[in-house]
């Protein structure tokens, strides 16, 4: 009797399933390579721009397209270009055009508190 119970316990122990070893995760490399081109599309949400690094050619017009994928209104402002604010309501896409001389600029969302929460990035013009 006692022996049978011991056997049963041993069998139960052996049947413990081997836990599957995770999924084969794709290496989600978060390359921070700037997106470049004369039309740059950036998605905005709480509280980040994606991508947060963009690159355009100097002294030629480029368009910034802001896609608001968040749940509140966001805008896009380049430091020094405050008159060209791109305001984007929820679910909308808004664009603005700029032409800048070479340099590194900061862009951000001008809604109160958003920049401080992470809605900013770097624009490289060269
Ligand atoms: Cu914002």
């Amino acid at each position: 009797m006692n022996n049978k119970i011991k056997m049963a316990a041993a069998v139960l122990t052996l049947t413990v399933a081997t836990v599957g070893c995770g999924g084969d995760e794709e290496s989600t490399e978060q390359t921070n390579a700037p997106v470049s081109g004369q039309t740059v599309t950036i998605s905005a949400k709480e509280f980040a721009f994606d991508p947060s690094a963009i690159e355009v050619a100097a002294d030629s017009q480029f368009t910034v397209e802001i896609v608001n994928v968040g749940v509140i209104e966001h805008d896009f402002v380049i430091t020094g270009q405050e008159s060209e604010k791109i305001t984007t309501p929820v679910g909308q896409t808004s664009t603005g055009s700029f032409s800048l001389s070479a340099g590194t600029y900061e862009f951000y969302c001008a809604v109160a508190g958003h920049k401080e929460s992470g809605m900013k990035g770097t624009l490289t013009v060269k």
Side-chain angles (χ1 to χ4, degrees):
M1 191 64 170
N2 268 343
N3 278 342
K4 273 191 177 173
I5 291 171
K6 276 183 186 164
M7 271 298 283
V11 169
L12 278 175
T13 307
L14 285 173
T15 47
V16 168
T18 27
V19 178
C21 29
D24 24 318
E25 281 173 38
E26 296 283 311
S27 57
T28 42
E29 275 179 51
Q30 201 67 13
T31 49
N32 240 6
V35 168
S36 59
Q38 292 313 96
T39 296
V40 180
T41 302
I42 304 173
S43 64
K45 64 168 194 229
E46 304 73 37
F47 290 95
F49 287 111
D50 181 25
S52 59
I54 57 178
E55 194 174 294
V56 296
D59 304 314
S60 60
Q61 195 175 66
F62 64 94
T63 300
V64 175
E65 187 176 66
I66 301 298
V67 182
N68 188 347
V69 296
V71 295
I72 52 175
E73 185 170 286
H74 294 293
D75 54 37
F76 173 95
V77 177
I78 298 170
T79 301
Q81 307 292 316
E82 283 79 4
S83 59
E84 282 297 318
K85 181 163 86 175
I86 304 172
T87 301
T88 314
V90 174
Q92 307 265 308
T93 298
S94 301
T95 59
S97 290
F98 306 87
S99 180
L100 299 170
S101 51
T104 302
Y105 300 79
E106 177 193 57
F107 63 83
Y108 61 95
C109 176
V111 176
H114 289 201
K115 179 184 178 185
E116 293 74 16
S117 300
M119 293 197 74
K120 60 184 176 183
T122 306
L123 164 64
T124 304
V125 182
K126 64 181 186 182

